[in-house]
Amino acid sequence: MNWLYLAIAIIAEVIATSALKATAGFSRLLPSLLVVAGYGTAFYFLSLTLRSIPLGIAYALWSGVGIVLVSMVGWLLYRQSLDLPAMVGIALIISGVLVINLFSKTAVH
């Protein structure tokens, strides 16, 4: 169940972060409400994961997967392109998430 909570936290954070641009500096109400609700949801579910997943592992996965997904949203929704160094960096982040999940004894499965 804790991995489901972590997935919900990641998705909520990606939605909130992706909506930040649409807030226009928090001058638009609906996107601003989405950001606040998204971050609230993200932190609540992240806190639930910490019952059994170590803090460092949960945060590494939350932030790493979030970076990759937000980059994809930026590319798809806002037409923000990524250059080669950015794509290599994102590939390294994905590699790090895989190493943690597949090989770390610290991550609780």
Side-chain angles (χ1 to χ4, degrees):
M1 198 63 169
N2 291 304
W3 292 103
L4 176 62
Y5 292 155
L6 184 58
I8 293 169
I10 291 168
I11 292 166
E13 186 268 335
V14 168
I15 290 169
T17 301
S18 300
L20 271 173
K21 185 172 176 75
T23 67
F26 287 97
S27 64
R28 298 181 59 216
L29 181 61
L30 289 179
S32 297
L33 292 174
L34 183 61
V35 168
V36 172
Y39 282 132
T41 301
F43 284 113
Y44 173 72
F45 280 97
L46 180 61
S47 73
L48 295 179
T49 68
L50 300 179
R51 293 177 187 166
S52 67
I53 301 173
L55 175 63
I57 299 299
Y59 189 74
L61 296 174
W62 182 62
S63 59
V65 173
I67 289 168
V68 172
L69 293 177
V70 168
S71 296
M72 290 173 54
V73 169
W75 177 66
L76 293 169
L77 188 62
Y78 297 115
R79 305 288 186 235
Q80 297 172 341
S81 62
L82 299 171
D83 60 8
L84 183 60
M87 288 188 278
V88 168
I90 289 171
L92 290 170
I93 291 168
I94 293 168
S95 299
V97 169
L98 289 173
V99 166
I100 288 171
N101 274 302
L102 297 175
F103 303 110
S104 176
K105 301 259 187 265
T106 305
V108 178
H109 293 283

